[in-house]
Amino acid sequence: MVIRYEPLNRKERIAKLFREAIEAENRKDLEKAKEKLDEILHESMEEEPELYFEACFRLAEIFLQEDNYRGAVKCALRAIARAPNENLFRLGFRRLGDILTIIRESGKLEELGRDGESFFQHAGEDEGLRDFVEVMMRMARGEKVEKEFPLREMNEALSVLRG
């Protein structure tokens, strides 16, 4: 009897990487968890946008554990910019609002107000998302900005910055 090796298909490989990332995170091995999530991002970027979205937010959660607030926001923006449908786009803003709440409660909002070019890089070409990033940064610096966005979730995420 001959046993043939069949490589894991992409979704199975990504599921295995997610398990390994979660196990590493539970062991507090955040570097290993980030490595596994980076692999997922690479594997899923073009073919599995829903998994890419989830990996970005999982990575954002790890950055929050490390008090890397800018990294968390960048990951959230990457996920939102590549969201494959409107439901995930909206969900991304709700999750970003949660991240902004954590940052506000940590007293670190000012970190979001400096060196914004890196945020714009992760926002992609979507003008609405780029406008959102601009307003988010201005509000993080303490500026009063009264701008309404077409999606309720975008406005709700920003309302966190108003205190």
Side-chain angles (χ1 to χ4, degrees):
M1 178 164 107
V2 175
I3 299 176
R4 291 190 307 187
Y5 169 76
E6 293 185 27
L8 295 174
N9 74 34
R10 179 180 290 104
K11 284 186 180 179
E12 289 171 337
R13 175 162 165 64
I14 291 171
K16 180 178 182 281
L17 288 168
F18 265 119
R19 261 192 320 278
E20 292 172 358
I22 292 167
E23 289 168 358
E25 186 178 356
N26 288 339
R27 290 191 313 271
K28 302 295 184 216
D29 186 353
L30 300 183
E31 289 306 314
K32 178 63 84 177
K34 289 190 296 190
E35 287 175 23
K36 298 299 179 180
L37 290 167
D38 281 341
E39 286 184 58
I40 294 168
L41 294 176
H42 177 74
E43 290 273 332
S44 63
M45 183 181 289
E46 300 300 326
E47 301 293 325
E48 305 293 341
E50 293 88 357
L51 298 175
Y52 181 89
F53 180 88
E54 193 55 44
C56 283
F57 275 105
R58 192 78 190 183
L59 191 54
E61 291 173 13
I62 290 174
F63 282 134
L64 286 174
Q65 291 178 51
E66 296 177 327
D67 297 331
N68 181 347
Y69 302 115
R70 292 177 58 79
V73 171
K74 288 176 189 178
C75 286
L77 292 172
R78 285 170 59 185
I80 293 167
R82 291 183 168 272
N85 58 53
E86 186 175 344
N87 287 336
L88 286 179
F89 190 75
R90 289 173 181 270
L91 176 61
F93 282 105
R94 286 195 298 269
R95 291 175 82 172
L96 176 57
D98 294 341
I99 291 169
L100 294 174
T101 298
I102 291 168
I103 296 170
R104 186 193 74 222
E105 290 174 356
S106 298
K108 300 293 185 177
L109 280 179
E110 72 279 354
E111 289 184 20
L112 303 182
R114 60 175 169 48
D115 185 30
E117 189 55 39
S118 60
F119 289 134
F120 287 111
Q121 290 172 353
H122 293 287
E125 299 301 317
D126 182 306
E127 282 303 315
L129 185 53
R130 294 177 73 79
D131 287 346
F132 176 90
V133 169
E134 175 68 31
V135 170
M136 177 190 74
M137 290 174 37
R138 290 176 56 201
M139 292 177 79
R141 287 192 295 262
E143 295 178 34
K144 301 288 185 213
V145 181
E146 296 299 325
K147 177 164 173 84
E148 285 295 314
F149 287 92
L151 294 178
R152 175 179 47 87
E153 292 82 358
M154 294 172 91
N155 295 311
E156 288 172 355
L158 289 174
S159 72
V160 168
L161 301 176
R162 289 185 183 99

